[in-house]
Amino acid sequence: MASVGDIAPDFTLTAHDKSTVTLSEMRGGRVILAFYPAAFIGVCTKELCTLSDGMASLESCGSSVLGISVDSPFSNSAFAEAKDISFPLLSDVYRETVHSFGIPLYLYLLHL
């Protein structure tokens, strides 16, 4: 589990546009990792839409955002398109990344 001040565990995940994103390639920049349990549920929609709406401010201070869920790239793609999400939504279907960050399993029980 990652702690404050640790270097974040590296990962390579598939984005909603079928590209791959590797966290270590973004080292040296500011990256916000927004973990969300599932597309199209209320709290997740609000969280990601709020981040998307604030992208101009985040980018102006050199920050980028990556959304991470256990949804498939297809679900993430439909979600990004429907909600006009402007940053990559990454698919962690094997739950390796959420486990490496110590994200509690109960947040993902909606998907079982």
Side-chain angles (χ1 to χ4, degrees):
M1 179 170 168
S3 297
V4 174
D6 288 350
I7 292 177
D10 196 23
F11 59 78
T12 299
L13 296 172
T14 302
H16 69 277
D17 64 0
K18 311 293 186 299
S19 65
T20 57
V21 174
T22 300
L23 183 62
S24 60
E25 293 175 358
M26 302 174 83
R27 296 240 191 263
R30 294 181 179 139
V31 180
I32 297 168
L33 301 178
F35 290 91
Y36 63 103
F40 297 106
I41 62 172
V43 171
C44 297
T45 298
K46 183 170 176 69
E47 171 190 5
L48 296 180
C49 288
T50 298
L51 285 168
S52 188
D53 291 345
M55 282 306 296
S57 294
L58 293 169
E59 288 172 345
S60 73
C61 66
S63 297
S64 55
V65 176
L66 301 174
I68 301 174
S69 79
V70 297
D71 284 321
S72 72
F74 305 104
S75 295
N76 284 335
S77 180
F79 184 51
E81 185 176 330
K83 300 300 179 182
D84 199 27
I85 304 295
S86 59
F87 52 84
L89 299 181
L90 308 179
S91 180
D92 184 25
V93 294
Y94 299 109
R95 296 173 167 81
E96 293 171 356
T97 300
V98 296
H99 289 297
S100 71
F101 278 86
I103 306 298
L105 180 61
Y106 65 84
L107 290 177
Y108 290 89
L109 290 179
L110 295 170
H111 254 336
L112 298 179

